[in-house]
Amino acid sequence: MTKTLQDLIDESIFISTEYQARLAELTQGAGWDVDFSAPAFTLQTEPPVTLTPYLLGTESASRGTWIWSWQELGHFPAEVVSAAVQAREAGERLGVDELSTDELPVAEGLARRLTLAAKAVTGVYAHYPAGAGGGVTAWLLLDGPEFELPELTVERMMRVIAEALTTDTAVDHNLAVDSYAKLRGAHVEWDTEATCVVTVRDGAQRFWFDDHQISGVEPAEPAVGPEILADLAADARARAATLREDRAAAEATAARQEAEPRQAAAPEETPVPAELPQEQPEPLEVPEFVGTEHAQERPEPIEEPVEEPREAEEPVAAHADAADLPFDQEPSGRDVRPGRVSTTVVPGPEPVRPGPEEAPEPAAAQHREPVAEPEAEREVVAGPGVPGSATAEPVVEGEETAEEEQGERKKGFFSRFFGL
């Protein structure tokens, strides 16, 4: 079976609107922090709320392209890119090229349309566009038990549908209504292509359609009883569980594909001595900064005192604008203060190269303290918020691997991914 990008958008638009409303209830103007290495998206509410973020891709105004986060695996943990990999696999299976093409020319509303389509195939229905500086917006999905929705009622259903239709995103309203009813465990009965009855817990509504557009709605007699609705709710939960299993499989695929090139690049000769400690990269926290930190040589301990570490900048928490409705709107052009984001990129293999033969040093020189090796080069990408809906935007960073060839590839990817 094949589908189009618009088919997937129509399937997700109503439930997406409902989840965006729930996200607004959770945030209530609070600040937030994001740590992709956890991964965790934390709302600074009382008590704090922690959600799971999934990075789909970035949209760069300067470069004029959208890049999926799975374009080159290894820059983020497998869980963070698992929803994007799941969308890619669904795109290949359904023939939706936009979901399986690594880089696409930017068009008006494209990033939001790709995000809505990804919701239909991942079962993760809340999103926000996060500014990464330099005219780059990273689009993320959010998930967590806090998004559990109450049982659907007639009033709630009609409010959600009415709000979603104000965006003019849905094209096939027949498909949108049918999909929403099934995802929410409601019963939908089609008399003809022009009319259907949707039954929920406290009543029913008849929808009239004209050329696949809703032309009228009126109360109707429920078509089924509570027992059937309970079975349909169980079916909806089973579909959601299947999508979660698909995402877990996509995460395993991302981890496996990321590990394969690292294993192939590992040197076969001169293994690293076991007594040498293997340093693990630590997450960075960069509030408002865009740029690249380069390695600096450390002075010899005997000749110069150890340089005191610089105080870290105080992170700036993001604040959502309570007046900004979080429904499926295009992000506004207003500036929003950034939140704090940290992430650790899995390092590549450490290259071991035999050093050149050296003449023996004089005896006096043999007692000198060894000079510390320079720190590995680290590329940092972060920035203040630009577009956003009801949330503020994070900054994003990634760490270079030690191997030169892989480091060049990662630097090139970050330059494209974040529009540097």
Side-chain angles (χ1 to χ4, degrees):
M1 179 180 64
T2 61
K3 294 186 177 182
T4 66
L5 185 71
Q6 185 61 49
D7 289 338
L8 298 178
I9 292 170
D10 290 337
E11 289 177 6
S12 72
I13 184 60
F14 290 164
I15 197 167
S16 171
T17 300
E18 190 172 14
Y19 270 78
Q20 293 302 106
R22 175 57 181 154
L23 179 59
E25 295 172 0
L26 290 174
T27 57
Q28 296 183 351
W32 49 264
D33 293 329
V34 176
D35 182 357
F36 281 130
S37 64
F41 174 90
T42 304
L43 293 170
Q44 298 168 355
T45 52
E46 290 295 338
V49 175
T50 300
L51 307 170
T52 302
Y54 298 98
L55 176 60
L56 290 180
T58 59
E59 178 186 36
S60 171
S62 59
R63 187 174 176 82
T65 61
W66 160 279
I67 301 178
W68 287 96
S69 63
W70 49 256
Q71 196 271 344
E72 190 174 345
L73 298 175
H75 300 285
F76 298 95
E79 183 178 1
V80 170
V81 299
S82 60
V85 173
Q86 186 180 9
R88 179 190 66 188
E89 293 174 344
E92 293 170 348
R93 184 174 64 253
L94 299 174
V96 182
D97 293 339
E98 293 91 340
L99 299 185
S100 57
T101 302
D102 56 3
E103 190 166 358
L104 298 167
V106 167
E108 184 178 356
L110 174 65
R112 176 172 168 270
R113 288 169 57 79
L114 293 174
T115 301
L116 290 173
K119 293 183 179 188
V121 296
T122 62
V124 185
Y125 299 111
H127 78 273
Y128 77 96
V136 176
T137 304
W139 289 74
L140 302 116
L141 299 181
L142 296 176
D143 196 14
E146 293 78 7
F147 282 111
E148 184 174 354
L149 299 176
E151 191 173 2
L152 191 62
T153 62
V154 168
E155 180 184 1
R156 186 179 184 90
M157 174 177 67
M158 299 311 299
R159 186 171 66 248
V160 167
I161 292 176
E163 183 64 43
L165 292 180
T166 63
T167 65
D168 293 326
T169 303
V171 172
D172 189 339
H173 293 183
N174 299 58
L175 177 58
V177 169
D178 189 81
S179 174
Y180 181 58
K182 291 174 180 176
L183 290 172
R184 292 293 272 120
H187 180 270
V188 57
E189 182 177 82
W190 291 90
D191 298 333
T192 66
E193 193 178 73
T195 180
C196 72
V197 173
V198 178
T199 303
V200 297
R201 174 178 58 85
D202 64 342
Q205 291 284 303
R206 177 178 293 278
F207 290 83
W208 296 91
F209 302 87
D210 183 9
D211 194 22
H212 288 261
Q213 301 287 296
I214 295 175
S215 58
V217 183
E218 63 183 10
E221 288 296 321
V224 297
E227 298 82 5
I228 299 298
L229 290 176
D231 291 341
L232 293 172
D235 291 342
R237 289 192 295 270
R239 281 192 291 270
T242 298
L243 289 176
R244 284 194 298 271
E245 292 172 359
D246 290 345
R247 189 159 61 257
E251 180 181 345
T253 297
R256 184 174 62 254
Q257 292 178 352
E258 190 274 331
E260 287 172 356
R262 290 169 53 197
Q263 292 173 355
E268 298 180 0
E269 70 281 356
T270 319
V272 178
E275 62 269 14
L276 292 181
Q278 299 295 317
E279 252 185 55
Q280 297 296 326
E282 297 184 1
L284 302 177
E285 294 182 353
V286 186
E288 291 184 64
F289 183 74
V290 178
T292 304
E293 287 184 344
H294 296 283
Q296 297 181 354
E297 294 189 3
R298 300 175 182 169
E300 294 187 13
I302 296 180
E303 298 179 2
E304 297 181 13
V306 179
E307 183 182 353
E308 290 294 328
R310 293 178 299 175
E311 293 186 2
E313 295 184 34
E314 188 68 23
V316 183
H319 296 275
D321 187 348
D324 186 13
L325 294 179
F327 300 107
D328 292 290
Q329 309 281 355
E330 291 294 346
S332 63
R334 60 185 176 82
D335 289 336
V336 186
R337 297 169 62 194
R340 180 177 59 186
V341 176
S342 59
T343 184
T344 298
V345 175
V346 181
E350 189 74 29
V352 179
R353 300 182 180 87
E357 295 185 1
E358 298 179 359
E361 298 185 39
Q366 294 179 2
H367 297 284
R368 289 186 305 171
E369 292 291 331
V371 179
E373 292 293 328
E375 295 181 351
E377 181 176 322
R378 174 175 296 159
E379 181 173 16
V380 178
V381 181
V386 254
S389 55
T391 57
E393 290 74 37
V395 291
V396 186
E397 57 181 281
E399 184 165 341
E400 300 290 342
T401 63
E403 185 171 357
E404 292 179 0
E405 181 180 354
Q406 191 167 1
E408 287 299 323
R409 291 195 309 111
K410 286 181 182 263
K411 185 171 182 180
F413 174 76
F414 272 107
S415 296
R416 289 191 304 117
F417 196 69
F418 292 107
L420 298 181

